[in-house]
Amino acid sequence: MKSELNSDKKEKKKEAVKKVIASMTVGKDVSALFPDVVNCMQTDNLELKKLVYLYLMNYAKSQPDMAIMAVNTFVKDCEDPNPLIRALAVRTMGCIRVDKITEYLCEPLRKCLKDEDPYVRKTAAICVAKLHDINASMVEDQGFLDQLKELLSDSNPMVVANAVASLTEINEASSSGQPLMELNAATMNKLLTALNECTEWGQVFILDALSQYSPKDEREAQSICERITPRLAHANAAVVLSAVKCLMKFMELMLADSEFVKNLTKKLAPPLVTLLSSEPEVQYVALRNINLIVQKRPELLKHEMKVFFVKYNDPIYVKLEKLDIMIRLASEGNIVQVLSELKEYATEVDVDFVRKAVRAIGRCAIKVETSAERCVSTLLDLIQTKVNYVVQEAIVVIKDIFRKYPNKYESIISTLCENLDTLDEPEARASMIWIIGEYAERIDNADELLESFLEGFHDENTQVQLQLLTAIVKLFLKRPTDTQELVQQVLSLATQDSDNPDLRDRGFIYWRLLSTDPGAAKEVVLAEKPLIAEETDLIEPTLLDELICHIASLASVYHKPPSAFVEGRTGLRRALPKSSGGNEGESGGEQPPQQQQQQQQQQPTVIPNQDSLIPDLLNMDINPAPVAPAAQPAFTGGTLDLLGGGLDSLLGGGGGEIAPAAAPAAANNTTSAGLLGDIFGMASGGAAVYTPPKQVWLPANRGKGMEIHGTFARRGGVITMEMTLHNKAMQPISQFAIQLNKNSFGICPASPMHVPAPVAPNQSVDVSLTLATTGPVQRMDPLPNLQVAIKNSVDVFYFATVMPMHIFFTEDGAMEKRVFLATWKDIPSQNEVQFSIENINMNVDMTSRPPEASNLDANLHLDGISNKLQTSNIFTIAKRNVEGQDMLYQSIKLTNGIWVLTELKVQPGNTTIVLSLKSRATDVAQGIFEAFDGILHC
């Protein structure tokens, strides 16, 4: 091969290079031939030169020193009389990502940017973007950006298009936060002129740039729209969608009811419909974009329902997307047609599609009130088919219809109950149980139906168990005389036999409510339900506006902003301009804030769709945390006695109080808050004094401008995560959410993370997040390690921190002396661990000790230590003095039920305290020592 490459015959040399390229293409290493191939560059044959350049691009990175040999040829070729060779040379130099060669590229590139041939200029424009990716500072220092901006005024449309593409690429990668391409009226005019003459991809780049321009007034916006509108008739789908993106943005600047907007609306529909005649993949992309457009401007396609009807040969992904758009476009005018189609789809063979079609019928009933009766009738017809998965989906959506239209269609319940035995899917079973519990007074054998579910209670899905518990409590409150045994059975199963914390907590809440005040229980459990929202899967408005600005890109297909899936993206965030025409249905102009507030208050509470309740950071802050109801006075019998004699017989007690053996309360003592207080975290006692200082959890360089300092605290039995959010970025940060990974203590957010307003640049905000210990448990190393995910409008960020152990010390950790002594003896001696706590200031939190130290003073020292520890729920059980050495014995109870017994040895005059601790779980020892060390040093 070497000899052929060094041959004097041009044809033989060319064939040899072709063989080398062929070997390289199939993955063979031919880097050993680098010098010989480089020698072939000295030729006038364009085909051979292209092959050699191709080889160089592939191997220059692995052979940088050898690649330098080719620099002179590159520089020489950049001045070749043939423009194709000049362009080829500058393109290849841009593709060779070697710093040593990059230095030599600047001068030839500068000449090529001013070349007389437009082909060379357009190639050089793209080369600037490639060079910026290799060495951004060099591009800025050498003035290439200014030369690119000059090319925007070039006479050749392709040069303009490539200059726009290059500037856009550089802009996306820029970290300055400032747009490099400042569009003004003159530049806009040149871009619009070039738009008509360049290639289709050039048009896409120009249209994308135009979409980022902000017209100074409505007249200019209309003028731009008129010049863009012809692009809607282009054969390329990317050009059409890019034109739609521009028009959608500029329409925001016009009055909604203006004649121009009405005409533009009519022009936008046909090209979108035409896209649905393409191949399935293009159809899917078009449908995903149309889904966004319809959410923003439903009037665009309101008369085009038929084009979204599913064809028999459509792929499943196209079918499902069409179905979604059909529901969005459903209205009183077309609902009959839509229902007829949906009923037909429900008889298809594709199970997923049939399920979606049945759910779509339910969504139509909720959205279009006049069609609800027809929808219910259609669903009943489908139930009569006895197809298992159809019946189950129908029951799920009928439950939602009952929620939307209470006391209207309950006559069909008997038909639903006939299919009870066929239900095997958790969601369908849970829906049926909800219906039985909600309408128990209308179902004669409701107790028998619910009892049939209890037989396999522990084998049921959690969703079914929770629903069954609530349904039986509802039944009991409606028919207390004959369902006492049933409610006792379900409460026992939920609180005593279940390992699920959610189920157990709900069972305890119901138990306490029923036992203290059945009247209050009735108000809580049988309260009026909020209405189901018409649209439960609409994209959040600010995100929708951003996605509209990204039509014709991957963001519009994923329905996520680019920052969510492009790693390291720092480009400018796009948003629609503020509308001058108001929302659809308004007469024009913006409403006063008071009127807007009244409208928001009048809207029904939105119940999120079941599909949206996945444990995903993007869907976390759907509902605010429920507010704990005020404590009710104890029930003493009387007119509210639902059982005729109170709930005492149910709980095994007599008279007006709960029998200690049966009530699920603490064994040792019952505070005034009682069990309900424990459930809602309302423990008595003073606030914990010790809170560790805040540490940097997420530095700004890892948080893309967001820096988080944080610590943990326990006050009044409530664990909180205290954070300070610093915004060191150039733009406001908002849309905060948090998720905690499984951990050793089941720590999880008790409510969503609430940041009241966007955090402005160079501003900080303090956030307190209440935590619970009812989450999933997984052993971590170290034990108190916590992995955290924080989501905001920029990205999702991950970090880990170590929780201080004292936040898990509970308020009921005081042991009796005899129990302490017996437990200490019972724990094996090998489970005892010793630590030394040094440099303790013995005069902290007490009166200074006089020189003539006495036993009283020593007690004062011990009392100071004891009091300080007790504020963090470390309870002193006993004190004693052994050979001049003071001993303190304490007990600690952790939130997971683990007990820790400690002994503190305090030597008068010595600043070192010896800590001995015993526990059946020695893994907690290091964390306990660190807690003591922190508390005693604070």
Side-chain angles (χ1 to χ4, degrees):
M1 190 78 80
K2 271 195 172 189
S3 60
E4 288 181 13
L5 287 170
N6 294 312
S7 172
D8 296 331
K9 296 179 181 178
K10 289 185 179 179
E11 283 302 317
K12 202 170 185 181
K13 189 179 286 189
K14 185 164 73 172
E15 288 302 316
V17 174
K18 282 183 178 179
K19 289 177 185 176
V20 172
I21 298 297
S23 300
M24 182 182 79
T25 306
V26 296
K28 292 182 181 176
D29 184 11
V30 285
S31 57
L33 299 171
F34 196 93
D36 305 289
V37 176
V38 170
N39 286 335
C40 298
M41 286 177 70
Q42 306 292 339
T43 178
D44 297 330
N45 187 305
L46 186 58
E47 186 182 358
L48 178 57
K49 197 174 281 286
K50 282 182 179 178
L51 291 170
V52 174
Y53 280 177
L54 186 62
Y55 178 89
L56 270 173
M57 282 190 274
N58 197 52
Y59 282 113
K61 198 166 186 179
S62 61
Q63 306 266 357
D65 295 329
M66 298 293 290
I68 293 292
M69 294 165 51
V71 168
N72 287 335
T73 309
F74 279 132
V75 175
K76 184 180 172 185
D77 283 353
C78 285
E79 298 178 357
D80 195 277
N82 187 340
L84 293 176
I85 291 179
R86 296 202 298 274
L88 181 64
V90 77
R91 179 192 292 131
T92 308
M93 287 182 79
C95 292
I96 296 175
R97 303 176 66 82
V98 176
D99 291 334
K100 292 180 180 178
I101 289 186
T102 305
E103 297 168 11
Y104 297 96
L105 174 60
C106 294
E107 203 52 44
L109 180 58
R110 190 174 286 107
K111 288 180 182 177
C112 288
L113 283 168
K114 296 180 179 178
D115 198 280
E116 59 184 17
D117 192 283
Y119 181 75
V120 179
R121 293 200 300 276
K122 83 178 185 66
T123 307
I126 294 296
C127 188
V128 174
K130 293 178 179 177
L131 182 61
H132 185 274
D133 192 38
I134 300 168
N135 192 333
S137 58
M138 180 185 288
V139 170
E140 292 165 12
D141 296 342
Q142 294 287 336
F144 288 131
L145 293 180
D146 294 328
Q147 281 189 271
L148 267 184
K149 291 173 188 176
E150 289 173 14
L151 289 182
L152 293 175
S153 306
D154 199 278
S155 58
N156 187 286
M158 275 313 301
V159 176
V160 175
N162 278 20
V164 169
S166 192
L167 281 168
T168 304
E169 184 74 25
I170 293 170
N171 208 44
E172 294 288 346
S174 173
S175 57
S176 65
Q178 296 296 323
L180 299 174
M181 189 165 47
E182 295 177 7
L183 295 175
N184 50 42
T187 310
M188 281 294 298
N189 198 40
K190 289 170 185 171
L191 292 184
L192 286 165
T193 304
L195 185 63
N196 298 321
E197 301 173 32
C198 59
T199 64
E200 52 196 23
W201 293 113
Q203 291 180 39
V204 170
F205 289 129
I206 291 175
L207 286 168
D208 190 53
L210 291 174
S211 70
Q212 297 176 55
Y213 177 63
S214 298
K216 59 179 181 290
D217 54 30
E218 186 177 345
R219 182 177 293 178
E220 187 183 6
Q222 289 182 3
S223 173
I224 295 170
C225 288
E226 285 172 351
R227 298 180 69 176
I228 289 174
T229 304
R231 299 302 102 206
L232 294 173
H234 203 284
N236 188 301
V239 176
V240 174
L241 286 173
S242 296
V244 170
K245 170 172 63 182
C246 291
L247 297 173
M248 287 286 291
K249 182 170 181 181
F250 294 139
M251 282 168 74
E252 290 293 307
L253 298 168
M254 306 172 200
L255 291 171
D257 55 353
S258 68
E259 198 62 34
F260 187 87
V261 169
K262 289 176 182 176
N263 291 333
L264 204 53
T265 300
K266 291 175 185 175
K267 291 177 182 177
L268 275 170
L272 292 173
V273 170
T274 305
L275 290 177
L276 300 182
S277 305
S278 311
E279 54 269 24
E281 292 80 8
V282 176
Q283 276 189 61
Y284 179 71
V285 172
L287 287 166
R288 292 292 283 176
N289 281 274
I290 289 170
N291 201 325
L292 295 174
I293 293 165
V294 166
Q295 288 184 56
K296 187 67 182 175
R297 291 186 176 270
E299 73 277 8
L300 275 181
L301 293 162
K302 64 181 178 183
H303 300 302
E304 305 292 344
M305 176 64 83
K306 282 190 177 180
V307 299
F308 299 106
F309 286 172
V310 171
K311 297 174 184 173
Y312 75 95
N313 59 347
D314 281 339
I316 184 64
Y317 54 87
V318 171
K319 285 181 177 179
L320 295 177
E321 203 60 36
K322 281 184 174 180
L323 205 55
D324 205 32
I325 295 170
M326 281 173 65
I327 299 161
R328 296 201 192 286
L329 293 176
S331 63
E332 290 185 17
N334 57 27
I335 193 66
V336 176
Q337 208 177 11
V338 172
L339 278 180
S340 175
E341 278 289 312
L342 293 176
K343 189 175 181 181
E344 192 70 29
Y345 300 159
T347 61
E348 292 275 345
V349 292
D350 191 305
V351 176
D352 288 336
F353 182 55
V354 171
R355 287 177 183 275
K356 184 101 173 181
V358 175
R359 294 222 176 190
I361 295 171
R363 283 174 64 184
C364 286
I366 291 166
K367 183 177 180 182
V368 185
E369 187 171 349
T370 54
S371 73
E373 193 164 341
R374 190 185 292 269
C375 291
V376 171
S377 175
T378 304
L379 289 169
L380 285 176
D381 291 344
L382 292 173
I383 288 174
Q384 296 305 327
T385 63
K386 301 296 182 183
V387 178
N388 186 264
Y389 54 86
V390 174
V391 172
Q392 303 203 72
E393 287 297 329
I395 286 173
V396 171
V397 297
I398 285 172
K399 181 253 304 183
D400 291 337
I401 293 172
F402 284 171
R403 286 287 302 275
K404 177 70 174 178
Y405 309 109
N407 304 315
K408 198 169 182 182
Y409 300 108
E410 283 73 20
S411 57
I412 68 170
I413 292 175
S414 58
T415 308
L416 302 182
C417 291
E418 291 171 7
N419 297 278
L420 202 59
D421 296 335
T422 64
L423 306 180
D424 53 16
E425 294 174 9
E427 193 176 359
R429 289 172 73 83
S431 298
M432 193 66 227
I433 291 167
W434 181 88
I435 291 169
I436 295 170
E438 190 69 15
Y439 301 100
E441 69 278 11
R442 305 187 187 196
I443 306 172
D444 295 335
N445 62 336
D447 53 342
E448 295 174 13
L449 296 176
L450 292 176
E451 194 171 8
S452 67
F453 285 101
L454 271 186
E455 293 169 3
F457 184 79
H458 292 300
D459 299 325
E460 295 284 5
N461 183 278
T462 303
Q463 180 184 3
V464 179
Q465 290 178 333
L466 289 166
Q467 201 60 261
L468 188 56
L469 172 61
T470 303
I472 291 176
V473 171
K474 285 180 184 176
L475 174 65
F476 168 70
L477 291 170
K478 291 174 181 179
R479 290 162 44 184
T481 53
D482 57 346
T483 55
Q484 293 183 31
E485 190 177 335
L486 187 62
V487 77
Q488 184 174 6
Q489 187 182 354
V490 76
L491 286 173
S492 175
L493 286 169
T495 57
Q496 296 174 20
D497 302 339
S498 174
D499 295 329
N500 186 304
D502 292 335
L503 183 63
R504 208 165 50 238
D505 286 353
R506 188 180 292 192
F508 282 141
I509 290 171
Y510 285 154
W511 198 320
R512 176 59 71 181
L513 272 173
L514 291 169
S515 61
T516 54
D517 191 345
K522 201 166 187 177
E523 288 179 16
V524 171
V525 180
L526 302 181
E528 187 177 344
K529 310 293 183 296
L531 293 177
I532 291 277
E534 290 181 2
E535 294 281 2
T536 54
D537 57 348
L538 290 175
I539 294 174
E540 191 266 327
T542 54
L543 175 58
L544 179 61
D545 286 352
E546 184 179 356
L547 292 178
I548 291 290
C549 295
H550 288 289
I551 284 176
S553 72
L554 269 180
S556 65
V557 178
Y558 290 154
H559 288 188
K560 293 180 180 179
S563 56
F565 59 88
V566 180
E567 189 177 347
R569 180 187 171 87
T570 56
L572 298 172
R573 192 180 184 87
R574 299 185 188 181
L576 286 177
K578 289 184 179 179
S579 173
S580 63
N583 295 327
E584 175 66 16
E586 293 176 8
S587 59
E590 293 185 0
Q591 294 179 326
Q594 292 178 347
Q595 190 175 341
Q596 290 179 355
Q597 190 175 0
Q598 287 173 1
Q599 284 189 354
Q600 289 170 3
Q601 289 172 352
Q602 288 168 4
Q603 289 178 352
T605 307
V606 174
I607 302 297
N609 190 345
Q610 189 67 28
D611 295 339
S612 71
L613 295 179
I614 57 175
D616 184 353
L617 276 172
L618 297 174
N619 297 319
M620 277 173 21
D621 291 342
I622 295 173
N623 285 328
V627 180
Q632 299 286 341
F635 178 66
T636 56
T639 56
L640 291 176
D641 192 347
L642 298 180
L643 286 173
L647 198 66
D648 308 313
S649 58
L650 168 64
L651 297 173
E657 294 183 354
I658 307 166
N668 289 340
N669 60 342
T670 304
T671 64
S672 59
L675 178 62
L676 193 62
D678 293 338
I679 291 169
F680 286 105
M682 301 185 296
S684 58
V689 172
Y690 172 62
T691 301
K694 288 183 178 177
Q695 298 177 327
V696 178
W697 284 350
L698 181 69
N701 60 344
R702 281 183 50 217
K704 296 184 180 178
M706 178 180 71
E707 186 167 280
I708 301 178
H709 295 241
T711 187
F712 294 87
R714 184 183 183 99
R715 300 184 185 91
V718 178
I719 303 172
T720 55
M721 182 188 260
E722 311 283 338
M723 291 177 282
T724 301
L725 310 178
H726 300 271
N727 182 3
K728 297 187 177 181
M730 303 288 289
Q731 70 236 8
I733 300 177
S734 60
Q735 300 173 19
F736 288 89
I738 191 167
Q739 186 164 303
L740 308 181
N741 203 356
K742 295 177 184 176
N743 52 81
S744 306
F745 293 90
I747 283 287
C748 63
S751 59
M753 180 178 179
H754 178 64
V755 180
V759 184
N762 299 316
Q763 296 295 315
S764 301
V765 64
D766 290 325
V767 178
S768 180
L769 178 69
T770 305
L771 302 177
T773 54
T774 55
V777 175
Q778 177 176 300
R779 180 186 169 81
M780 303 296 288
D781 188 19
L783 206 64
N785 193 40
L786 181 66
Q787 296 172 343
V788 185
I790 291 266
K791 174 232 172 203
N792 60 29
S793 54
V794 177
D795 206 343
V796 180
F797 304 98
Y798 304 91
F799 60 87
T801 184
V802 175
M803 299 176 284
M805 193 67 83
H806 79 277
I807 65 172
F808 304 114
F809 299 172
T810 64
E811 284 68 24
D812 59 345
M815 267 189 182
E816 291 183 0
K817 285 187 181 180
R818 284 176 298 175
V819 176
F820 182 96
L821 184 60
T823 308
W824 184 278
K825 290 178 180 177
D826 195 38
I827 297 174
S829 57
Q830 59 263 33
N831 281 29
E832 184 172 350
V833 187
Q834 273 198 357
F835 299 95
S836 293
I837 305 173
E838 300 177 344
N839 301 319
I840 297 298
N841 181 358
M842 301 304 289
N843 293 325
V844 176
D845 283 351
M846 61 181 126
T847 309
S848 296
R849 195 175 182 184
E852 58 277 7
S854 64
N855 289 336
L856 176 62
D857 297 319
N859 286 333
L860 284 175
H861 278 280
L862 295 181
D863 288 344
I865 293 172
S866 180
N867 291 339
K868 179 176 281 194
L869 292 174
Q870 186 156 340
T871 59
S872 294
N873 297 330
I874 302 172
F875 298 95
T876 300
I877 308 303
K879 305 175 190 174
R880 65 176 181 149
N881 187 285
V882 179
E883 298 176 356
Q885 192 168 234
D886 295 318
M887 318 283 274
L888 286 176
Y889 296 92
Q890 290 108 351
S891 68
I892 304 166
K893 183 184 176 185
L894 302 184
T895 53
N896 55 6
I898 293 174
W899 285 90
V900 181
L901 311 184
T902 68
E903 176 191 71
L904 280 181
K905 295 178 184 175
V906 183
Q907 185 78 37
N910 192 344
T911 58
T912 299
I913 293 178
V914 177
L915 167 68
S916 302
L917 62 87
K918 287 181 103 175
S919 175
R920 298 193 187 278
T922 54
D923 297 348
V924 302
Q926 182 64 31
I928 301 288
F929 157 66
E930 290 169 1
F932 269 83
D933 191 61
I935 294 165
L936 292 175
H937 278 104
C938 74

